[in-house]
Amino acid sequence: MRGRALFSRREFLRLGGAGVAGAALLGVAGCGGGGEQGGPVQLVFSHGPEQSGVLREQLDAFNRRHEGEIRVEWREMPAQTEQYFDRLRTQFQAGGGDIDTISGDVIWPAQFAANGWIVDLSDRFPESEREKFLDGPINSNVYEGAIYGVPWFTDAGMLYYRKDLLQKSGYSEPPRTWDELKEMALRVKQDSGTKFGFVFQGANYEGGVVNGLEYIWTHGGDVLDPEDPTKVIIDSPESVAGLKTERSMVEEGVAPEAVVNYAEMESHTAFLNGDAVFMRNWPYVFGLFGQFPVKPEQVDVAPLPVDREGRQSTSSLGGWNLFINAASEDEADAAWTLIEYLAAPEQQKQRALEGGYLPTLEELYEDQEILDKVPVIALGKEAIRNTRPRPVSPYYSDMSLRMAEQFNASLKGEVSPEEAVGTLREELQNIVEQGS
């Protein structure tokens, strides 16, 4: 998320699990040909820092497996996504740089693809292989009918709640609608003396965009026309209703006024310290138990609420994909071999067990060892499987800045939801038209 470190996994490192190095998932691809010229193909892989040693272990195992054919070097990039993005963009605009295989945020593929910076993988990554992955991560890599990346690990917005406090107030299930959440939060807050009913990410940054979009989506609204992504449709009654619900959390005393400045850390700190009944956040939070007073047995996870019964809950897709630099034509086969390896079931399982990273392969959500050792996967399975990408557009980075401003202004009460979506309709359409 913009403004948030890439890999907030922390206590997931305590989960343990046997490390395994596995075979490639997607078939065997040839190496780049460096061996024919007297030495291995030299690959550069860009990725941010990780607290876990799993990636280093896997890259070392890959180098041993392909000794004499391929040698990969990890180019460590900035921890903040916007800084990583800016560095990549600078290199791409200067001719591509020397990076071959790229890890990247799920919000980047459309912009990279539209500019010709990454390789179309449609021939290497057929539909028969894509079917093995979760839908949301696959969709984040599709631009104008072609696929440009392979899902590596994923994230999903989910509702955390204090099941012990809900039970004491007579509730046996989590809320299914936003109105139910408000009612339950206020009652449990009063019964238990808890400071806040609900905390989420409302600040003026990418996380605030994600939360605003989730309110809009769970009310039936959208930003771009699914049939024509050049058409902005955010100024709908459904979008207005979504932002009204978000604002009502503050107006009705469900969320603290300070939530307009909350990012992930402020939210999880309040919740895990016992100061909130409900929290919207990412799966990484489950790895933080042990550092805070609230214990895992006091907490459960549910999909985000919706505006009315019967609507499918939807949360924002997070996570990272793997791409090939379009400037690395001579190393493309070797770069693909590395992607195959990193995305294979064995490597994804190891990253789940030892690093807490949520896998992108469907089969791993039925793996009992993962379900036992990474409890948030079992608890949040429905939320993880019902994610959707943020607006897929080559202009998303500019659109996001405008949405962050207007969503935050609406949450603060500085503008009405109607004004916010009206302004966004004009601003986003101008961005699309100027870009086109």
Side-chain angles (χ1 to χ4, degrees), residues 220-242:
D222 213 335
V223 177
L224 302 179
D225 186 336
E227 303 301 321
D228 180 5
T230 65
K231 182 179 179 182
V232 178
I233 59 169
I234 195 170
D235 57 334
S236 68
E238 292 82 5
S239 295
V240 170

Side-chain angles (χ1 to χ4, degrees), residues 30-301:
C31 302
E36 297 175 1
Q37 300 175 20
V41 176
Q42 300 292 329
L43 280 185
V44 177
F45 172 57
S46 71
H47 187 54
E50 287 196 9
Q51 296 171 333
S52 165
V54 177
L55 180 59
R56 170 55 60 198
E57 181 180 334
Q58 290 185 354
L59 293 178
D60 288 346
F62 178 88
N63 283 334
R64 290 193 299 271
R65 175 178 298 182
H66 295 278
E67 186 172 1
E69 299 175 341
I70 307 173
R71 176 110 192 136
V72 61
E73 168 199 338
W74 177 359
R75 177 76 52 80
E76 190 167 300
M77 301 295 272
Q80 301 295 336
T81 59
E82 69 269 43
Q83 295 173 15
Y84 186 177
F85 175 84
D86 288 343
R87 186 174 296 184
L88 284 176
R89 180 169 54 183
T90 298
Q91 293 192 25
F92 288 146
Q93 292 172 338
D98 63 347
I99 294 169
D100 304 299
T101 306
I102 302 163
S103 77
D105 198 315
V106 295
I107 62 177
W108 296 350
Q111 184 164 354
F112 286 2
N115 284 284
W117 293 337
I118 54 177
V119 172
D120 180 347
L121 302 178
S122 301
D123 291 340
R124 298 179 185 267
F125 192 21
E127 186 63 38
S128 60
E129 295 297 338
R130 298 177 214 173
E131 292 174 351
K132 299 176 182 178
F133 292 80
L134 300 172
D135 288 342
I138 284 291
N139 292 337
S140 75
N141 286 292
V142 175
Y143 177 67
E144 294 188 343
I147 191 160
Y148 287 86
V150 175
W152 189 20
F153 59 89
T154 193
D155 256 342
M158 21 182 97
L159 181 71
Y160 289 79
Y161 63 96
R162 287 287 303 276
K163 63 181 180 182
D164 57 334
L165 299 184
L166 263 65
Q167 289 169 356
K168 289 179 181 178
S169 291
Y171 296 111
S172 59
E173 295 181 349
R176 291 184 296 274
T177 68
W178 291 112
D179 284 343
E180 286 181 357
L181 182 145
K182 289 191 286 186
E183 176 188 333
M184 293 167 70
L186 290 173
R187 177 176 169 182
V188 175
K189 173 185 166 186
Q190 182 176 10
D191 290 350
S192 63
T194 304
K195 189 179 296 185
F196 310 130
F198 181 39
V199 291
F200 54 95
Q201 297 79 59
N204 183 352
Y205 79 120
E206 182 66 18
V209 174
V210 165
N211 280 247
L213 289 173
E214 288 171 344
Y215 281 103
I216 288 172
W217 290 336
T218 54
H219 286 74
D222 213 335
V223 177
L224 302 179
D225 186 336
E227 303 301 321
D228 180 5
T230 65
K231 182 179 179 182
V232 178
I233 59 169
I234 195 170
D235 57 334
S236 68
E238 292 82 5
S239 295
V240 170
L243 295 186
K244 281 185 175 179
T245 294
E246 183 180 31
R247 174 62 189 160
S248 74
M249 297 297 174
V250 177
E251 290 179 331
E252 298 176 23
V254 179
E257 290 189 9
V259 80
V260 300
N261 297 315
Y262 274 23
E264 284 82 2
M265 184 180 71
E266 291 80 8
S267 302
H268 79 233
T269 299
F271 183 78
L272 294 176
N273 274 332
D275 291 332
V277 180
F278 294 98
M279 172 186 66
R280 182 269 175 217
N281 218 317
W282 303 97
Y284 81 90
V285 173
F286 223 91
L288 301 180
F289 291 110
Q291 300 179 19
F292 293 89
V294 172
K295 306 303 179 187
E297 58 269 20
Q298 297 174 278
V299 175
D300 210 338
V301 179

